[in-house]
């Protein structure tokens, strides 16, 4: 893979320019957007987007553009399609190594996801694959995936551990995530998924002890993680474990994420809100209390419709969440078990068709709200002065076309810090 240079507005003063577009569509203002605010991003017809040194200086109607805003040495492009913020994929399980297509086939012939995991497959399989692979092999496997994400319009994303399944293994996976982050052009946030599966040979409570006593402090000390996640499920960890993980994360200044109510109902959604989590993710089996907590609280509801599709899970109460006033984000959950899909356009399509999420609501969920989940909404996630010029040019002037045409590649070009990075130039 050819690696585009990582744009850095501080070091790289040449990325200046203006793009004229028939339509610029972006959420604006404070994040996260809730419910009815999500459906109303700004839609500016005949717009100009201007950036200097990689940072947006103007986003508005072309007629109102002050000539002084144009840098003499910048690029000037006229595009036929809509300009929207780059997608922010706020929930992936990169870095991982290898695929699990045979498990997919087993599920199609009758096994459940729980059965596969119970036979030593699932997360345990990915943990073995990761442990057996050399660092450089893992990086070589993941780099083209990050490049493919970029080509699909993802300009920032999250990586998680959770396939390390030992203190050293988790720290190694976090170091690999940080190493990958150095080599991909996108902005990256790294999450320590401290409790994903109970490691072989451990009692659940003993692993949670080790995670709180050794793993979280070590990850924080080495600056390896920005957040801590836990998988609350009957085949994984309980609410009491989540409480302890949350306390340790808090003590070390790390944000909290929660895999909540995915395969069954565990009341993790309302626990996530109570514990001040940045997000509660999946939510397929969230109940009325979870919905109302997310509606009132500051935790973002991250929905992962392709994983729902892929494992045939119950649909989450997406409309109820919107009606309750929750802030929604959409992400891929990219991983080899429940969502081998890295395409945010596909996520938007599935979010609309499967969950009934309006296309413009989906756009807010996949950009500004997702950036908020990663703690990045001060610098990216929308096209506003002061933010990085991370944007996507669509191949149509109507952004609803992204959700309307599953399987179609709607991306004409991708720009990072004001530089065109895909297609490669
Ligand atoms: O978010 N359910 C827990 N973790 C992942 C799947 C991990 C795997 O199967 O490898 C998820 O769906
Ligand atoms: Fe996940």
């Amino acid at each position: 893979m050819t690696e585009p240079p990582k744009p850095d507005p501080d070091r790289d003063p040449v990325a200046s320019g203006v793009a004229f577009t028939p339509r610029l569509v972006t959420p604006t203002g404070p994040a996260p957007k809730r419910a009815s605010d999500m459906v109303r991003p700004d839609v500016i017809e005949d717009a100009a987007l201007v950036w200097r040194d990689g940072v947006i200086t103007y986003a508005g109607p072309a007629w109102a553009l002050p000539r002084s805003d144009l840098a003499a040495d910048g690029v000037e492009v006229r595009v036929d399609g809509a300009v929207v913020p780059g997608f922010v994929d706020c929930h992936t399980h990169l870095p991982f190594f290898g695929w699990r297509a045979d498990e997919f086939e087993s599920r199609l012939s009758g096994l459940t996801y729980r059965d596969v995991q119970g036979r030593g497959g699932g997360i345990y399989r990915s943990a073995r694959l990761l442990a057996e692979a050399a660092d450089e092999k893992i990086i070589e496997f993941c780099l083209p995936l990050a490049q493919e994400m970029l080509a699909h319009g993802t300009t920032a994303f999250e990586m998680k551990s959770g396939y390390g399944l030992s203190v050293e293994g988790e720290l190694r996976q976090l170091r690999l995530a940080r190493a990958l982050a150095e080599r991909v052009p996108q902005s990256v946030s790294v999450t320590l998924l401290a409790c994903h599966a109970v490691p072989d040979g451990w009692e659940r409570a003993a692993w949670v002890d080790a995670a709180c006593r050794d793993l979280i402090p070590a990850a924080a000390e080495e600056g390896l993680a920005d957040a801590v996640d836990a998988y609350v499920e009957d085949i994984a960890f309980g609410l009491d474990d989540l409480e302890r993980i949350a306390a340790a994360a808090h003590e070390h200044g790390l944000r909290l994420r929660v895999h909540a109510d995915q395969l069954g109902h565990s009341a993790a959604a309302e626990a996530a809100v109570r514990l001040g989590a940045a997000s509660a993710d999946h939510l397929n089996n969230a109940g009325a209390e979870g919905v109302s907590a997310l509606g009132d609280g500051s935790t973002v509801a991250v929905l992962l419709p392709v994983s729902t599709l892929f494992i045939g899970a119950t649909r989450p109460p997406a409309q109820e969440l919107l009606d309750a006033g929750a802030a929604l984000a959409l992400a891929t959950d990219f991983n080899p078990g429940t969502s081998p899909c890295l395409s945010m356009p596909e996520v938007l399509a599935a979010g609309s068709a499967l969950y009934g999420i309006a296309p413009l609501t989906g756009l807010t969920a996949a950009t500004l709200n997702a950036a908020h989940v990663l703690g990045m909404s001060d610098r990216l996630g929308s096209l506003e002065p002061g933010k990085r010029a991370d944007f996507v040019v669509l191949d149509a002037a109507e952004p609803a076309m992204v959700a309307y045409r599953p399987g179609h590649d709607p991306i004409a070009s991708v720009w990072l810090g004001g530089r065109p990075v895909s297609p490669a130039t």
Side-chain angles (χ1 to χ4, degrees):
M1 189 196 78
T2 53
E3 291 173 37
K6 204 171 179 73
D8 180 347
D10 297 333
R11 280 187 318 216
D12 187 7
V14 296
S16 298
V18 56
F20 293 100
T21 167
R23 190 170 285 142
L24 187 143
V25 184
T26 180
T28 55
K33 299 288 170 209
R34 291 169 173 279
S36 57
D37 282 345
M38 293 182 67
V39 78
R40 280 192 236 102
D42 279 9
V43 178
I44 305 164
E45 309 289 337
D46 292 320
L49 180 73
V50 183
W51 60 94
R52 198 181 287 270
D53 301 343
V55 175
I56 296 169
T57 55
Y58 178 83
W63 64 263
L65 171 65
R67 295 309 295 176
S68 60
D69 263 35
L70 292 175
D73 54 347
V75 295
E76 179 173 323
V77 289
R78 281 168 203 279
V79 301
D80 296 329
V83 167
V84 299
F87 299 125
V88 179
D89 190 348
C90 67
H91 184 141
T92 90
H93 289 261
L94 281 168
F96 58 84
F97 185 73
W99 302 103
R100 297 181 351 226
D102 54 339
E103 292 182 3
F104 171 57
E105 291 185 275
S106 303
R107 284 198 295 104
L108 293 176
S109 54
L111 292 189
T112 65
Y113 181 78
R114 282 188 175 90
D115 295 335
V116 169
Q117 172 101 340
R119 294 171 183 210
I123 295 164
Y124 295 107
R125 170 97 167 280
S126 284
R128 284 194 301 277
L129 289 168
L130 194 78
E132 286 160 11
D135 288 1
E136 197 46 39
K137 287 277 172 230
I138 295 166
I139 301 273
E140 275 170 27
F141 181 82
C142 294
L143 276 176
L145 298 173
Q147 181 62 33
E148 206 181 328
M149 290 164 80
L150 186 67
H152 283 79
T154 297
T155 52
F157 63 94
E158 186 226 25
M159 294 196 232
K160 286 187 202 295
S161 67
Y163 295 130
L165 300 191
S166 68
V167 171
E168 262 322 305
E170 289 294 318
L171 293 173
R172 173 189 181 229
Q173 196 183 358
L174 292 176
R175 288 185 196 111
L176 282 166
R178 288 288 195 220
L180 255 170
E182 282 297 308
R183 292 177 61 176
V184 303
Q186 293 104 321
S187 304
V188 170
S189 169
V190 177
T191 301
L192 165 61
L193 177 42
C195 289
H196 198 193
V198 179
D200 281 337
W202 286 77
E203 290 293 329
R204 184 168 54 91
W207 171 252
V208 178
D209 281 344
C212 294
R213 191 191 53 230
D214 303 325
L215 177 55
I216 292 173
E221 165 87 3
E222 218 187 302
L224 292 175
D226 308 303
V228 178
D229 196 345
Y231 178 31
V232 180
E233 199 77 77
D234 55 3
I235 55 169
F237 295 86
L239 290 178
D240 47 343
D241 303 322
L242 173 64
E243 303 245 355
R244 298 181 56 206
I245 292 292
H250 185 72
E251 190 187 327
H252 289 89
L254 299 172
R255 294 196 324 282
L256 181 67
R257 311 277 309 265
V258 184
H259 276 68
D261 300 309
Q262 181 188 14
L263 302 179
H265 175 74
S266 59
E270 48 270 45
V273 177
R274 182 165 44 78
L275 295 167
S279 72
D281 302 44
H282 287 283
L283 301 170
N284 298 71
N285 295 282
E289 281 182 35
V291 168
S292 114
L294 287 160
D296 295 338
S298 54
T299 301
V300 174
V302 177
L303 301 183
L304 307 159
V306 174
S307 72
T308 297
L309 190 66
F310 194 73
I311 63 168
T314 309
R315 283 185 226 179
Q319 291 308 318
E320 289 86 340
L321 284 163
L322 284 169
D323 291 345
L328 300 193
L330 282 167
T332 60
D333 195 25
F334 183 40
N335 76 79
T338 64
S339 184
C341 168
L342 52 67
S343 161
M344 288 297 285
E346 204 60 29
V347 165
L348 287 165
S352 288
L354 203 60
Y355 295 178
I357 294 174
L360 291 186
T361 300
L363 185 72
T364 305
T367 56
L368 185 62
N369 279 8
H372 175 78
V373 169
L374 299 185
M376 293 176 167
S377 59
D378 57 334
R379 55 192 188 278
L380 51 88
S382 63
L383 301 178
E384 296 176 273
K387 291 203 178 179
R388 268 174 63 118
D390 289 358
F391 62 94
V392 166
V393 180
L394 300 176
D395 69 350
E398 179 47 70
M401 292 295 278
V402 177
Y404 169 69
R405 295 188 64 194
H408 170 70
D409 173 11
I411 310 294
S413 61
V414 183
W415 298 64
L416 266 179
R419 293 170 165 279
V421 288
S422 184
T425 46

